[in-house]
Amino acid sequence: QVQLVESGGGLVQAGGSLRLSCAASGRTFSSYRMGWFRQAPGKEREFVATITAWSGGSTFYADSVKGRFTISRDNAENTVYLQMNSLKPEDTAVYYCAAGPNIGAGTRRYEYNYWGQGTQVTVSS
């Protein structure tokens, strides 16, 4: 069982930066693939970024955030991060972190077993 708690959301102007954190409970954090998803009002939850288990040697991003967002993990701290730069108003959403088995591409919601409660990110123009 893994419990996830996101933090770091807030209100930022377009062009600004935020770093989201997701703290995980449990002693097996390093064995999970981790992902970030987001959900804007009236839209479905969509994939943002994923990082493989263990050393996190492989990452993958949605086209909409590639080059602006960076996912990373610190297994010693049981935490995964999402550094968001050059934010745009269309990045406004509730951001969720998720944990799942280290198989597949990690871009679909069904690939993850555990979800956090979400943190709101609002980007003003």
Side-chain angles (χ1 to χ4, degrees), residues 4 7 12 15 18 20-22 27 34 37 45 47-48 51 53 57 67 70-72 75 78 91-93 103 109 113:
L4 305 172
S7 62
V12 63
L18 282 174
L20 304 184
S21 300
C22 174
R27 294 174 291 179
M34 300 300 295
F37 288 73
R45 193 172 300 187
F47 167 76
V48 174
I51 187 167
T70 302
I71 187 172
S72 62
N75 291 332
N78 277 16
D91 294 319
T92 295
I103 56 176
R109 286 178 290 174
N113 305 112

Side-chain angles (χ1 to χ4, degrees), residues 6 20-22 35-37 47-49 71 80-82 95-97:
E6 301 97 335
L20 304 184
S21 300
C22 174
W36 285 96
F37 288 73
F47 167 76
V48 174
I71 187 172
V80 63
Y81 302 98
L82 185 69
Y95 283 71
Y96 299 89
C97 74

Side-chain angles (χ1 to χ4, degrees), residues 6-89:
E6 301 97 335
S7 62
L11 174 64
V12 63
Q13 288 188 332
S17 298
L18 282 174
R19 188 175 81 154
L20 304 184
S21 300
C22 174
S25 65
R27 294 174 291 179
T28 59
F29 169 78
S30 60
S31 68
Y32 286 96
R33 168 190 289 280
M34 300 300 295
W36 285 96
F37 288 73
R38 66 187 182 186
Q39 187 166 16
K43 296 188 176 181
E44 291 192 355
R45 193 172 300 187
E46 65 175 7
F47 167 76
V48 174
T50 186
I51 187 167
T52 50
W54 308 113
S55 63
S58 179
T59 59
F60 187 75
Y61 299 90
D63 288 343
S64 58
V65 307
K66 200 172 297 181
R68 299 188 298 123
F69 290 11
T70 302
I71 187 172
S72 62
R73 66 189 301 157
D74 184 339
N75 291 332
E77 296 294 328
N78 277 16
T79 301
V80 63
Y81 302 98
L82 185 69
Q83 178 66 44
M84 306 186 295
N85 299 329
S86 302
L87 282 161
K88 305 175 181 180

